[in-house]
Amino acid sequence: MKKAVLFLCAALCALPLTACGGKSAIEGRYLRAAGGASLLVTENGPIALSDRSEDGGLFDGLNSGDLIEVTCDSGIGESYPGQTGAYSFKFLQGSNLNSIPSATLANLSELGYTPVGGSTADGWYLATVEGSEEGGPLLVGEGWPNGVCLVDMAGGLFDGLESGDRIRITFDMPESSPWPGVDWVYTCELLEEGSLADVPEEALAAMEEAGYDFGRHTHQPAAEPQTVDEPVSGWCGNTSAAVSADGREYTLWGGDAIALTDILINLDYAPEVCRCMTEYTAETELGASYGINLTESFARCEAGQAALTAEQTATIRDIIDRNCGV
């Protein structure tokens, strides 16, 4: 903190001030903080502004990030942030909170100057699970099931939150962003703890359809072998197969290659394929390629996807352990 204060003092001495009868003009980005505090973020550091205008409400109508020129007292208090009185301002350019360095926003937040953006929204917080095709976190609400992606601009805003918690965010929206949209988030308030069961089903379904995984999709081993009506058999002893695991390919021969091929080629694959990732890839001697997930007990190929029984899963796992060492 002492270093920050010393830096600010030195920096403020270099601020481009225009003298005006005991007052000065300083250019910077306006920042509104929680509780009504107003600051000016200059290229040399932030300054807290005290409203000295005759009618008060000097900065009403401004948005955080707007570029302005403030007429203020010539003297700047030696603190972090600096302190000065403000009498009027000239609007130069509109913008948003993203125009203020995130490190500056984080430092001010630690000192109690929590940034307030141009908009607020309430909704349910959603976090995606590891391996999800699309990443989170997200916010969904009543009537807008497609939600928005949340970008933490202050650091640690979403720590400790669980999917289904009801939150209120302060945010700015980029000028353009892909569906489902992106919000730059500067504050996050927990309104009520919750769970996935509290989130409207239409919202969860819409986001899952788009590739977001919230851990609701699970697999169970098949109760009976999902075998085609006319299974193929009669492999010779020199049959081979290849399994890819951890970025390496392993060749299988003889009994293990026959057993693996026999299971995979004779599964009754359905065209419906889920978004779950496979763990292994198997190539049979017949040229067919299969994806295998032993954790979720399923296999898939060009024809579709089929569930494995617990016994089939154990057999394949033993084969891979013997031949691949994984």
Side-chain angles (χ1 to χ4, degrees):
M1 179 59 70
K2 290 182 178 179
K3 290 183 178 180
V5 172
L6 290 174
F7 171 79
L8 179 69
C9 293
L12 291 177
C13 291
L15 281 174
L17 306 179
T18 303
C20 181
K23 297 181 178 64
S24 302
I26 308 176
E27 182 178 312
R29 295 285 179 180
Y30 175 74
L31 175 63
R32 190 184 307 280
S38 291
L39 298 98
L40 187 70
V41 180
T42 73
E43 61 182 10
N44 295 299
I47 303 170
L49 304 174
S50 298
D51 186 349
R52 302 286 175 80
S53 62
E54 293 183 2
D55 300 328
L58 176 61
F59 302 111
D60 291 352
L62 281 179
N63 294 315
S64 292
D66 286 346
L67 183 65
I68 60 174
E69 183 181 83
V70 177
T71 299
C72 59
D73 291 324
S74 295
I76 306 296
E78 296 181 357
S79 60
Y80 187 88
Q83 307 283 331
T84 192
Y87 299 88
S88 64
F89 72 87
K90 180 169 67 174
F91 180 85
L92 302 177
Q93 182 186 50
S95 187
N96 50 48
L97 271 171
N98 194 51
S99 60
I100 300 175
S102 58
T104 300
L105 295 173
N107 289 338
L108 290 172
S109 293
E110 290 182 2
L111 296 175
Y113 294 95
T114 305
V116 175
S119 303
T120 61
D122 295 0
W124 288 278
Y125 173 81
L126 288 173
T128 55
V129 299
E130 184 177 356
S132 176
E133 182 179 338
E134 298 289 345
L138 301 151
L139 184 73
V140 298
E142 295 282 5
W144 43 289
N146 291 342
V148 291
C149 295
L150 306 178
V151 180
D152 185 348
M153 301 298 290
L157 286 178
F158 311 124
D159 291 353
L161 291 179
E162 300 288 342
S163 289
D165 286 348
R166 187 86 178 170
I167 62 173
R168 175 174 295 148
I169 63 169
T170 297
F171 69 95
D172 275 323
M173 186 180 297
E175 292 184 2
S176 62
S177 63
W179 185 91
V182 176
D183 284 349
W184 290 316
V185 183
Y186 296 91
T187 66
C188 178
E189 177 187 358
L190 175 63
L191 301 178
E192 184 180 4
E193 292 184 351
S195 66
L196 276 176
D198 299 312
V199 183
E201 177 60 30
E202 64 170 341
L204 293 173
M207 301 311 293
E208 286 171 341
E209 180 65 24
Y212 295 89
D213 185 0
F214 309 117
R216 296 201 306 165
H217 180 74
T218 60
H219 292 265
Q220 296 294 329
E224 299 290 337
Q226 307 296 296
T227 307
V228 294
D229 293 336
E230 298 180 4
V232 182
S233 61
W235 314 105
C236 61
N238 63 353
T239 296
S240 67
V243 173
S244 297
D246 294 337
R248 298 180 59 185
E249 184 176 287
Y250 304 85
T251 302
L252 285 61
W253 296 94
D256 282 345
I258 292 172
L260 181 62
T261 300
D262 188 58
I263 292 173
L264 295 175
I265 199 172
N266 288 313
L267 286 173
D268 188 14
Y269 295 95
E272 294 79 15
V273 176
C274 72
R275 296 178 180 272
C276 295
M277 305 293 289
T278 56
E279 299 169 325
Y280 308 100
T281 300
E283 304 282 345
T284 67
E285 196 172 63
L286 300 180
S289 178
Y290 302 87
I292 305 170
N293 186 319
L294 298 181
T295 303
E296 301 291 347
S297 297
F298 71 82
R300 69 166 63 116
C301 64
E302 188 177 45
Q305 184 169 302
L308 298 166
T309 64
E311 182 179 358
Q312 289 171 329
T313 300
T315 298
I316 296 175
R317 188 179 299 282
D318 288 343
I319 291 172
I320 291 177
D321 287 346
R322 279 196 300 272
N323 292 274
C324 307
V326 295

